């Protein structure tokens, strides 16, 4: 039976993510539009994003936080280009984005002393292999596989290298062990539901010391430059951006941060995301046709929740038919206005991906579940009726 109740908010995309509950364009009325971002008011807004982010994320006071070009990609690549090459590098990759940072190290920076630890979608590489005399690059949450690092216990407290962490789909949803991390990057468009624009980069005192003592052998474009004459450019960490930001996006980032503070800060944000994961776990336990892509429960993401279809009939289909089936579920739900953008990432195994970050209401997930079951039965019954089209399938 086709369900009748739809989610109030059908936005379950893994980026840009859903706006906070109750958001409207009016939230941006105070934006400093048509004004210079270097004017007193504009700079104050940028500095406010930094200060509110630091407070909400409970960052140590001696860490610096800056707003840098090109979203999370800009922030993490700025870190790789600025810091690596001083010593050996270990990269851990287990899905599309972390694989991109590995390719940066291998093919772009052409690092000689490089070790790559890679695993398939659904698994984490063996993190215990990290050599903490090396710099170590990794994502906290693999957005395209739904596999997250469960904790920071594998990171040496007395490390000599730097822990460089892409945390764009983790911050504001998972506790970050700041004292184990030297560089942490993220973007506005993820957990807090902001407009995509500039990225954020947090630096530990040891990362700053590296920047001030080491000059990489390759050229650095202006948008990657964090130092001048061997000294950190302090202004970047006080709201003076390297290039021009969107003040509309800045206002939206502030709106998300203020909402996070109002609902109870970081513990409340994490709790909302965990509740969303629990709701999906509960539905999956009785759905009977779908499961998590993440093989171990302690590595299951509570933000980018990636699912694979486990039904034996579906599993027996050839890969292209599997992909068609999963895409059909997503397109049926989109056509009904029930869920947008829940297909798995283009490079990931066929399946579904449902965002469970703090801006998603658990009640909307509860409304979505019967629709997922309905779409699955539509796809399966239609496919069973047209067996010859699915060459190689066994029904
Ligand atoms: C883990 C991870 N790293 C990097 C990115 C790229 O982020 P952006 O598009 O904000 O640069 C994403 C985007 O989904 C991501 O999930």
């Amino acid at each position: 039976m086709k369900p009748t109740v739809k989610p109030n908010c059908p936005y379950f995309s893994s980026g840009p993510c859903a706006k906070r509950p109750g958001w409207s364009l009016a939230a941006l009325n105070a934006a400093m539009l048509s004004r210079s971002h270097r004017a007193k008011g504009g700079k104050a807004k940028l500095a406010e994003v930094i200060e509110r982010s630091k407070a909400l994320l409970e960052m140590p006071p001696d860490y610096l936080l800056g707003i840098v070009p090109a979203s999370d990609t800009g922030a993490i690549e700025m870190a790789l280009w600025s810091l690596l090459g001083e010593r050996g590098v270990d990269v851990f990759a287990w899905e599309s984005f972390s694989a991109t940072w590995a390719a940066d190290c291998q093919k772009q920076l052409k690092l000689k002393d490089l070790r790559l630890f890679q695993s398939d979608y659904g698994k984490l590489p063996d993190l215990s292999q990290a050599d903490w005399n090396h710099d170590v690059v990794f994502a906290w949450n693999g957005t395209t596989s739904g596999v997250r690092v469960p904790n920071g216990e594998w990171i040496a407290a007395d490390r000599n290298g730097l822990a460089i962490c892409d945390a764009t789909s983790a911050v504001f949803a998972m506790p970050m062990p700041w004292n184990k991390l030297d560089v942490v990057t993220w973007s506005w468009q993820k957990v807090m539901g902001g407009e995509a624009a500039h990225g954020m980069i947090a630096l530990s005192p040891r990362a700053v010391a590296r920047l001030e003592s080491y000059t990489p052998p390759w050229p650095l474009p202006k948008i990657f430059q964090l130092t001048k004459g061997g000294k950190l450019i302090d202004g970047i960490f006080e709201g003076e951006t390297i290039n021009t930001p969107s003040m509309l996006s800045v206002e939206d980032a502030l709106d998300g941060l203020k909402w996070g503070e109002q609902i109870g800060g970081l513990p409340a944000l994490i709790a909302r995301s965990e509740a969303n994961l629990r709701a999906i776990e509960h539905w999956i336990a009785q759905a009977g046709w779908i499961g998590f892509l993440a093989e171990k429960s302690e590595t299951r993401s509570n933000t980018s929740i990636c699912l694979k279809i486990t039904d034996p009939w579906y599993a027996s289909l050839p890969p292209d038919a599997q992909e068609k089936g999963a895409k059909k579920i997503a397109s049926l739900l989109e056509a009904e206005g029930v869920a947008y953008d829940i297909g798995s990432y283009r490079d990931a195994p066929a399946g579904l991906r449902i965002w469970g970050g703090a801006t998603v209401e658990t009640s909307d997930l509860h409304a979505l579940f019967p629709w997922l079951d309905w779409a699955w039965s539509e796809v399966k019954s239609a496919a069973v009726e047209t067996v010859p089209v699915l060459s190689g399938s066994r029904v």
Side-chain angles (χ1 to χ4, degrees):
M1 283 266 291
K2 192 167 171 179
T4 47
V5 180
K6 297 184 178 181
N8 281 329
C9 176
Y11 301 118
F12 301 102
S13 148
S14 290
C17 301
K19 297 285 188 203
R20 55 130 174 119
W23 185 94
S24 78
L25 268 177
L28 310 184
N29 281 349
M32 283 273 296
L33 303 184
S34 307
R35 291 290 315 276
S36 168
H37 59 294
R38 302 201 189 279
K40 204 170 153 208
K43 192 183 153 190
K45 294 245 182 212
L46 287 153
E48 191 181 339
V49 170
I50 293 174
E51 289 315 314
R52 285 187 188 269
S53 302
K54 274 176 142 175
L56 191 56
L57 288 171
E58 301 170 6
M59 275 175 58
D62 57 350
Y63 276 49
L64 297 180
L65 182 60
I67 301 176
V68 297
S71 203
D72 180 67
T73 308
I76 189 79
E77 291 194 327
M78 160 188 257
L80 303 182
W81 261 253
S82 300
L83 293 161
L84 298 184
E86 191 252 6
R87 60 181 62 227
V89 176
D90 289 359
V91 185
F92 289 86
W94 58 94
E95 47 79 62
S96 176
F97 288 103
S98 37
T100 303
W101 316 145
D104 276 350
C105 293
Q106 222 167 11
K107 297 182 185 149
Q108 302 298 327
L109 296 175
K110 299 183 173 43
L111 297 173
K112 295 273 180 302
D113 192 359
L114 175 69
R115 303 192 309 161
L116 178 55
F117 301 92
Q118 199 150 12
S119 66
D120 278 346
Y121 280 84
K123 297 184 173 85
L124 270 183
D126 180 2
L127 301 173
S128 72
Q129 297 287 314
D131 175 349
W132 290 104
N133 284 317
H134 289 179
D135 294 328
V136 178
V137 178
F138 60 100
W140 196 272
N141 181 71
T143 319
T144 62
S145 70
V147 172
R148 65 164 144 174
V149 171
N151 55 53
E153 281 163 24
W154 59 287
I155 304 172
D158 61 350
R159 63 197 174 279
N160 293 317
L162 301 175
I164 300 175
C165 174
D166 167 5
T168 193
S169 53
V171 282
F172 302 109
M174 305 172 198
M176 304 303 296
W178 289 103
N179 61 348
K180 296 283 188 84
L181 302 170
D182 298 294
V183 179
V184 181
T185 65
W186 65 94
S187 52
W188 292 341
Q189 46 100 1
K190 289 284 183 194
V191 180
M192 303 308 285
E195 285 303 287
H198 268 44
M200 306 296 291
I201 186 166
L203 301 175
S204 73
R206 291 179 58 250
V208 174
R210 170 76 65 82
L211 284 169
E212 294 192 326
S213 62
Y214 166 70
T215 306
W218 40 75
L220 280 183
K222 173 177 163 158
I223 59 163
F224 281 180
Q225 290 171 21
L226 287 165
T227 58
K228 192 171 182 189
K231 285 296 233 194
L232 195 73
I233 304 173
D234 294 327
I236 295 175
F237 305 92
E238 293 159 3
E240 287 168 21
T241 49
I242 297 172
N243 68 340
T244 313
S246 155
M247 295 310 287
L248 205 58
S249 300
V250 168
E251 198 63 27
D252 204 35
L254 283 174
D255 175 74
L257 292 165
K258 288 178 193 167
W259 170 74
E261 291 160 10
Q262 277 158 18
I263 65 164
L266 188 60
L269 291 166
I270 294 174
R272 284 175 67 87
S273 197
E274 283 296 323
N276 287 340
L277 176 59
R278 295 286 95 80
I280 291 185
E281 280 172 349
H282 192 256
W283 163 66
I284 279 181
Q286 46 79 41
W289 58 274
I290 193 158
F292 288 94
L293 187 56
E295 289 180 1
K296 293 189 176 160
S297 60
E298 68 270 22
T299 68
R300 269 177 209 160
S301 173
N302 58 352
T303 55
S304 58
I305 303 169
C306 295
L307 308 176
K308 64 176 179 196
I309 300 170
T310 51
D311 177 273
W313 162 77
Y314 176 89
S316 74
L317 297 176
D320 60 330
Q322 290 194 8
E323 198 176 321
K324 256 192 211 161
K327 281 193 172 149
K328 186 72 189 162
I329 294 175
S331 65
L332 275 174
L333 295 181
E334 177 164 342
E336 294 286 343
V338 163
Y340 295 112
D341 312 318
I342 61 164
S344 59
Y345 188 71
R346 55 178 189 262
D347 300 335
L352 301 174
R353 181 173 58 162
I354 302 171
W355 185 253
T359 56
V360 171
E361 299 274 28
T362 311
S363 55
D364 284 333
L365 287 172
H366 283 300
L368 173 63
F369 299 146
W371 285 96
L372 287 163
D373 291 329
W374 167 78
W376 161 248
S377 66
E378 289 290 297
V379 165
K380 186 170 176 178
S381 51
V384 168
E385 280 158 23
T386 56
V387 162
V389 178
L390 301 167
S391 61
S393 65
R394 291 179 279 115
V395 181

